Amino acid sequence: MVTIEITYEGDLHCRLKHGPSGVEIVTDAPKDNQGRGESFSPTDLVAAALGSCMMTLMGIAARSRGIDLVDLKCRVTKEMAQEPYRRIKRLETVFTFPRPLVEKERRLLEQAALTCPVHKSLHPEIEAPVFFKYPP
């Protein structure tokens, strides 16, 4: 179990402290929702959690098999819906691999990514396509 301590600092800013490590991050409301957009918004953190979770699981699978993923890139594009209420509508995730991989490695890494607990926890109304791009 992990505890995150959150303090509201005013002006739509929150300070989050990761219990086990003590690392802190701040959030701000986005510009389109009364904030200044000076940091990650809470929904931005969902997008960041999705991409980093998937990438971490690929890293775990790759490490035990000697697959080099250094410089693997991930881009998560978040789209918000306004109706019937403000919520995340779509999280498109694209992984771009730095080196060619054989089919067996591709299948292993794609399966690892798709077992991500963040991805599995998303509400079914959130569109969450995942794409994998490999060099020739």
Side-chain angles (χ1 to χ4, degrees):
M1 181 169 38
V2 171
T3 300
I4 309 298
E5 300 288 339
I6 305 167
T7 303
Y8 183 70
E9 296 186 329
D11 203 23
L12 308 180
H13 287 94
C14 295
R15 180 166 302 276
L16 295 66
K17 184 175 182 180
H18 181 247
S21 68
V23 171
E24 294 185 351
I25 59 174
V26 296
T27 63
D28 185 17
K31 288 182 178 182
D32 68 349
N33 198 29
Q34 302 182 32
R36 293 191 306 252
E38 295 177 335
S39 188
F40 288 95
S41 73
T43 56
D44 291 344
L45 292 178
V46 174
L50 176 62
S52 62
C53 180
M54 295 176 98
M55 191 175 276
T56 298
L57 290 172
M58 285 192 283
I60 291 168
R63 180 168 56 187
S64 65
R65 290 162 182 87
I67 302 169
D68 181 9
L69 291 183
V70 171
D71 293 326
L72 171 64
K73 304 291 185 206
C74 176
R75 183 186 72 237
V76 181
T77 304
K78 177 191 77 171
E79 294 179 41
M80 298 295 289
Q82 303 300 324
E83 300 292 332
Y85 45 84
R86 188 170 169 82
R87 67 174 183 84
I88 298 171
K89 176 183 177 181
R90 179 179 169 90
L91 293 168
E92 179 180 291
T93 306
V94 179
F95 290 95
T96 304
F97 288 81
R99 284 169 283 297
L101 297 170
V102 298
E103 186 61 32
K104 182 178 178 181
E105 293 170 329
R106 290 180 183 194
R107 281 194 315 273
L108 170 80
L109 296 172
E110 290 176 14
Q111 180 58 36
L114 296 174
T115 63
C116 163
V118 175
H119 192 264
K120 299 286 188 195
S121 299
L122 295 173
H123 191 282
E125 289 182 13
I126 298 175
E127 299 170 41
V130 180
F131 302 96
F132 302 91
K133 293 183 176 180
Y134 299 94

